[in-house]
Amino acid sequence: MAAGLSSTITAEPSRPFHSPHHIPNPAPLFSFSPSFYHRPLVGTQEKSKFTVCFVLKEKKQNLRMETITEEDLSDGIKDTQILRPAHVAEKLARKRSERTTYLVAAVMSSFGITSLAIISVYYRFSWQMEGGEIPYSEMFGTFALSVGAAVGMEFWARWAHRALWHASLWHMHESHHRPREGPFELNDVFAIINAVPAIALLSYGFFNRGLFPGLCYGAGIGITVFGMAYMFVHDGLVHKRFPVGPIANVPYFRRVAAAHQIHHSEKLNGVPYGLFLGPNEVEEVGGLEELEKEIRRRAKA
């Protein structure tokens, strides 16, 4: 409820002081500065009239009572009853549905890929050791390429992000830099594109013996591991498309998330383009102070 106050002041000359019918001014109802009443008078005096108007306004809003759970607020407030507009509640409900959909897809794909990888590794080496000879060189090559491919994918992603996604493929990647409508976006196609060579390498390495097939098999595993890590850190931690649990408490991953947020803000001309080595890119261009500010901002959010 709001009140408005308006006043008008009018001044009228009264009869001279020597008039026998002169009536003295009544005592004021409100206290104002004495200078308001006592002015230099020459044979006449002025008396003031006030008109005071109060305008009352009542604002009504269509609000409804709902319960905000821990998923709605990042500060951990749970089961708190507050008032909020209906359209805000609908938006939060839609966001929860989108997060649930993407979480189910992420968990199922991760569980499926991890299970297939473990089973395939076991059967591949057990099949190749049927003759009693252990292929040490092949096993070492598979392990080395697994690590090497996972690390190499970071540099590939950095180059592709800058030279392709923000260039000729911007019409697809642009969906990632705009507010998302629905659980998925056009930019998710890049994950499928990167999965194609990984599946090809894994298939060839699984069904063939020898050092080269072992290297191909290791490269396929490395690409797959990088893709899963990228999904949890980039989609889950940075863009909050699904909850990531204790991953959010790892200090280095907090720096990674802050660095990638700087990329979306374009404060450093798009840097960093990589993900896991993003903090190093920011430091190379002199953006360490900006990185620390973003880390503090995300911590307060």
Side-chain angles (χ1 to χ4, degrees):
M1 182 172 293
L5 171 64
S6 64
S7 64
T8 59
I9 305 174
T10 59
E12 295 181 356
S14 63
R15 284 182 287 272
F17 285 107
H18 62 273
S19 172
H21 302 287
H22 170 67
I23 301 175
N25 289 333
L29 298 177
F30 301 92
S31 176
F32 292 91
S33 173
S35 61
F36 184 83
Y37 290 99
H38 302 286
R39 300 177 181 175
L41 302 176
V42 180
T44 62
Q45 96 174 43
E46 294 179 355
K47 56 182 179 180
S48 302
K49 294 181 179 180
F50 298 92
T51 301
V52 181
C53 301
F54 286 92
V55 180
L56 302 180
K57 298 179 181 178
E58 184 174 357
K59 298 181 179 179
K60 296 181 179 180
Q61 294 180 338
N62 294 327
L63 301 177
R64 66 181 179 182
M65 186 76 71
E66 290 202 0
T67 301
I68 293 183
T69 61
E70 190 173 7
E71 293 180 355
D72 296 334
L73 302 176
S74 58
D75 55 1
I77 300 177
K78 190 174 183 180
D79 294 334
T80 303
Q81 297 287 338
I82 67 171
L83 289 173
R84 55 183 175 178
H87 71 279
V88 175
E90 293 174 0
K91 184 177 180 180
L92 289 175
R94 186 172 66 253
K95 287 294 183 183
R96 285 196 297 268
S97 177
E98 293 173 1
R99 291 179 66 186
T100 302
T101 302
Y102 194 88
L103 175 62
V104 172
V107 171
M108 290 182 63
S109 61
S110 300
F111 179 77
I113 292 173
T114 303
S115 300
L116 288 174
I118 294 174
I119 294 173
S120 63
V121 169
Y122 172 78
Y123 278 103
R124 185 181 190 278
F125 286 108
S126 62
W127 169 53
Q128 295 209 1
M129 289 188 295
E130 287 181 352
E133 183 180 355
I134 301 177
Y136 290 107
S137 60
E138 186 175 337
M139 294 175 65
F140 177 77
T142 299
F143 175 78
L145 258 292
S146 298
V147 177
V151 175
M153 280 297 294
E154 169 68 15
F155 294 95
W156 155 255
R158 179 194 298 187
W159 177 86
H161 195 176
R162 181 180 62 253
L164 298 178
W165 302 348
H166 278 260
S168 59
L169 297 178
W170 173 247
H171 64 283
M172 297 174 61
H173 185 61
E174 185 180 13
S175 64
H176 183 57
H177 286 259
R178 292 183 177 275
R180 185 174 60 256
E181 297 181 0
F184 301 102
E185 57 192 32
L186 184 59
N187 185 73
D188 294 333
V189 173
F190 291 121
I192 301 175
I193 294 175
N194 289 328
V196 172
I199 294 173
L201 290 169
L202 287 169
S203 300
Y204 177 76
F206 183 78
F207 293 106
N208 293 277
R209 294 188 181 188
L211 179 59
F212 182 72
L215 296 176
C216 292
Y217 188 76
I221 292 178
I223 296 173
T224 303
V225 170
F226 176 85
M228 293 175 59
Y230 193 97
M231 177 183 65
F232 278 97
V233 175
H234 176 266
D235 296 345
L237 176 60
V238 179
H239 296 292
K240 303 184 184 302
R241 296 177 72 173
F242 60 92
V244 294
I247 294 178
N249 299 324
V250 178
Y252 184 75
F253 286 160
R254 291 180 180 176
R255 295 178 64 84
V256 169
H260 190 74
Q261 198 64 46
I262 292 175
H263 165 72
H264 280 267
S265 68
E266 298 183 354
K267 294 180 180 179
L268 301 177
N269 297 323
V271 175
Y273 289 98
L275 180 67
F276 294 102
L277 297 180
N280 295 342
E281 290 185 65
V282 172
E283 188 174 357
E284 289 173 0
V285 297
L288 189 58
E289 181 179 354
E290 191 66 37
L291 178 62
E292 296 298 332
K293 287 172 57 178
E294 182 62 26
I295 293 174
R296 291 192 295 268
R297 188 195 68 81
R298 289 180 62 89
K300 294 178 181 179

